Amino acid sequence: MATLNPSPPAAARYHGDQAVAPGMLDFAVNVRHAQPPEWLVERLAARLPDLARYPSPQDLQRAQDAAAQRHGRTREEVLPLAGAAEGVALLPNLRPARAVIIAPSFTEPAVALAAAGVPVHHVVLEPPFGLDGARVPDDADLVVVGNPTNPTSVLHTRERLLALRRPGRILVVDEAFADSVPGEPESLAGDSLPDVLVLRSLTKTWALAGLRVGYALGAAEVLARLTAQRAHWPVGTLQLTAIAACCDPRAVADAAAGALRLTELRAEMVAGLAAVGADVVDGRAPFVLFRRPDATRIRNELEHKGIAIRRCDTFVGLDERYLRAAVRREWPLLTDAIAGVLR
């Protein structure tokens, strides 16, 4: 079972899957489906006989070209990754002198940068967690922000994001959940800017957590710096195949249709949570952040009932009153269980 009270050093490395035991109803992990679609499984299975060979340059180029076409970029602006989290792990290669993390947010950037000896400053946003009034130190030469942000689910506007740019600074936008927003109106993935690095994930949308698949989009010079100390063959044949497959126009269309369905489902879930007294943060991601004063008791009782939900006191800027729940069709089971705890 999950460790319910991680020590402060361990808190930043806490992940939702630590809350899930076999057989539990999982609202803690943001992977959207129980398994990849059949067409994707078939594409990956067809490459299994090729695993005796190292990934080929042709596989790399096919993955780059597919992502480039998907976002209107050039091949040189695409870096396949073993999940967006690998891009985060590579950030110290940019050798920033002072990094800023917009919080609450995914905790791994701070972990990776601090482990490399980079001074890290958190700019903590107040509820409702928008960028209005965010005071980023002028001397920060690396700024990391999520959009939509994990765990708040807040979607920042392009204008607010671009306002964070400064001469000599690289802006890193973690768009791991951007394809869950219909039309992706605030994405910077299609903007060829010399100082903006965008991280994208295919893991959550296409149920590939066991494979880890993503890519970075940025200027060739920035990508070269990012990979300066990267190991050989960091992305395997199956991962490159998945990138090419999931960036295919048909797959992109499927994801877009899924985003519309997800939006409707999310609205239903938000209404259900509000009905049981949850203070829900306004957002657009495939998960919902909400607050209740008795959140710790609720989470513990749900665990006993076989329902996993994400604690949020491990995120900088949040406390034990916050919980995060993935958007699931089974949301009535969650709200009914919360109502049962409150009775």
Side-chain angles (χ1 to χ4, degrees), residues 102 123-135 154 156-157 159-160 164:
I102 306 293
V123 172
V124 180
L125 305 177
E126 297 294 329
F129 307 112
L131 286 173
D132 295 352
R135 296 183 178 179
V154 170
H156 305 297
T157 66
E159 290 73 20
R160 290 291 184 187
L164 296 173

Side-chain angles (χ1 to χ4, degrees), residues 35-321:
Q35 62 186 41
E38 185 176 351
W39 63 263
L40 181 54
V41 172
E42 291 175 354
R43 288 279 294 270
L44 295 173
R47 298 305 307 273
L48 291 177
D50 299 328
L51 295 185
R53 299 189 296 274
Y54 290 105
S56 71
Q58 291 75 27
D59 284 325
L60 173 60
Q61 291 171 5
R62 278 192 287 268
Q64 289 176 300
D65 289 344
Q69 181 179 11
R70 190 247 190 273
H71 297 290
R73 306 289 284 256
T74 66
R75 176 190 293 174
E76 292 72 25
E77 294 176 293
V78 178
L79 175 68
L81 296 169
E86 192 209 359
V88 166
L90 294 173
L91 290 180
N93 289 342
L94 297 176
R95 301 192 180 281
R98 187 182 188 192
V100 160
I101 311 293
I102 306 293
S105 65
F106 184 45
T107 55
E108 288 295 330
V111 171
L113 291 163
V118 177
V120 175
H121 176 78
H122 285 92
V123 172
V124 180
L125 305 177
E126 297 294 329
F129 307 112
L131 286 173
D132 295 352
R135 296 183 178 179
V136 176
D138 288 336
D139 63 346
D141 55 356
L142 182 73
V143 175
V144 184
V145 59
N147 202 43
T149 302
N150 178 18
T152 66
S153 78
V154 170
L155 183 68
H156 305 297
T157 66
R158 289 170 48 86
E159 290 73 20
R160 290 291 184 187
L161 293 170
L162 293 173
L164 296 173
R165 299 168 68 198
R166 295 288 187 279
R169 172 186 295 175
I170 294 178
L171 174 65
V172 180
V173 185
D174 180 358
E175 293 191 359
F177 300 97
D179 62 358
S180 66
V181 181
E184 302 184 18
E186 311 302 340
S187 172
L188 298 181
D191 293 67
S192 294
L193 299 170
D195 57 344
V196 176
L197 178 67
V198 176
L199 302 178
R200 301 282 296 208
S201 175
L202 299 169
T203 297
K204 307 300 193 298
T205 297
W206 298 107
L208 294 170
L211 191 60
R212 308 307 305 276
V213 183
Y215 50 91
L217 299 163
E221 184 272 337
V222 173
L223 298 183
R225 291 169 57 195
L226 195 69
T227 57
Q229 300 181 30
R230 200 182 190 196
H232 287 298
W233 310 289
V235 181
T237 299
L238 296 184
Q239 292 162 307
L240 294 172
T241 300
I243 292 171
C246 295
C247 288
D248 180 274
R250 291 166 295 183
V252 173
D254 285 348
L260 291 172
R261 294 191 297 269
L262 181 72
T263 298
E264 297 174 356
L265 186 61
R266 190 184 197 280
E268 296 170 2
M269 182 173 171
V270 165
L273 286 167
V276 295
D279 181 10
V280 180
V281 174
D282 185 24
R284 302 286 298 277
F287 46 85
V288 179
L289 181 70
F290 63 96
R291 181 177 62 182
R292 276 199 57 100
D294 49 0
T296 299
R297 179 171 71 90
I298 289 173
R299 178 169 53 82
N300 290 339
E301 291 295 326
L302 290 177
E303 182 181 19
H304 291 310
K305 295 174 180 290
I307 300 175
I309 195 167
R310 176 61 156 92
R311 65 182 301 168
C312 289
D313 56 342
T314 60
F315 292 99
V316 173
L318 298 181
D319 58 30
E320 69 281 354
R321 296 172 297 171

